[in-house]
Amino acid sequence: VLAAEPGSLIYAGLKRGFDRAALEREVNRGTSDLCLHRFEPAVGDCLFLPAGLVHAPGAGLLIAEIQQASNTTFRLFDWNRVGPDGKPRQLHIEQGLAAINYAAGPAAVQTPESTDDPRVVRLVACDKFVLERVTLAPGESWTLTSDDRFHIVSVVQGDAATVGPEIGASEALPLGTTCLVPACLQSTTFTSSSGATLLTAYLP
């Protein structure tokens, strides 16, 4: 979660005790949100939402979403919104109900795990990707050394720049920038004059 207005909600996972029959009943009534676990997130919160976990971000949130290479979405409810053509968007009731993991229960905010580098914490590690958060103090730098994988690095707070002999001249990375660090680079250094928070995602 990068920004959150007061009262903003995230819906993640079914409340305890709701099975397929109960969810289907509420979906048909247009009140499926009553079945969902909800909470008011704080900036910096991270959720891991594996396939089969029903979820939705509420209004007033700015989030960074990292996912496996799949664009499949089954929509159970669309908050009574309409598309650019003035018509409701397509729902996928049967496919969605069949895809849900009803034993998963409510989702919890991830507890960051420390690493060998005090600037880096691990947020998610699964069979599809690893997600870590890098915090740089003003004037501090962090070097990403080659591990034979590409890394996707996003600047989610402050601003940064890349430096390194293989890159050449320093390249500015303003807030909101995402860059791909190829596996062939031996090292890439990220620095920040004012302080920054980076997200880095890579294959396990």
Side-chain angles (χ1 to χ4, degrees):
V1 177
L2 307 184
E5 295 178 0
S8 298
L9 296 173
I10 287 180
Y11 301 81
L14 293 173
K15 294 178 181 176
R16 299 290 182 190
F18 279 89
D19 56 12
R20 174 168 177 157
L23 177 58
E24 186 171 10
R25 180 184 66 244
E26 299 305 326
V27 166
N28 291 332
R29 292 174 176 173
T31 53
S32 54
D33 57 306
L34 297 179
C35 305
L36 303 183
H37 167 66
R38 71 185 77 181
F39 70 97
E40 187 171 342
V43 172
D45 281 352
C46 176
L47 287 171
F48 177 48
L49 305 173
L53 192 84
V54 59
H55 61 276
L61 294 172
L62 178 63
I63 61 174
E65 184 174 6
I66 291 85
Q67 65 179 45
Q68 68 191 81
S70 172
N71 288 321
T72 302
T73 298
F74 295 139
R75 195 176 296 116
L76 295 175
F77 181 57
D78 202 27
W79 312 97
N80 301 316
R81 295 179 297 187
V82 295
D85 58 359
K87 299 179 181 179
R89 294 194 296 177
Q90 181 182 1
L91 300 180
H92 315 89
I93 305 300
E94 289 304 317
Q95 299 98 316
L97 291 172
I100 291 172
N101 177 1
Y102 293 94
V109 173
Q110 294 287 103
T111 300
E113 297 181 2
S114 59
T115 68
D116 293 337
D117 188 332
R119 294 162 298 184
V120 181
V121 294
R122 181 160 295 175
L123 300 176
V124 176
C126 65
D127 62 337
K128 304 294 188 228
F129 62 87
V130 177
L131 176 65
E132 295 176 338
R133 181 169 60 212
V134 183
T135 304
L136 298 179
E140 195 172 26
S141 62
W142 168 69
T143 299
L144 177 59
T145 55
S146 175
D147 57 5
D148 295 323
R149 307 172 195 148
F150 68 85
H151 288 244
I152 298 171
V153 180
S154 300
V155 182
V156 297
Q157 185 177 24
D159 58 81
T162 56
V163 295
E166 295 182 81
I167 298 174
S170 174
E171 182 173 348
L173 300 173
L175 177 64
T177 301
T178 294
C179 67
L180 173 67
V181 180
C184 62
L185 292 183
Q186 292 302 306
S187 66
T188 304
T189 297
F190 294 82
T191 185
S192 178
S193 59
S194 59
T197 301
L198 314 175
L199 294 179
T200 175
Y202 55 93
L203 296 176

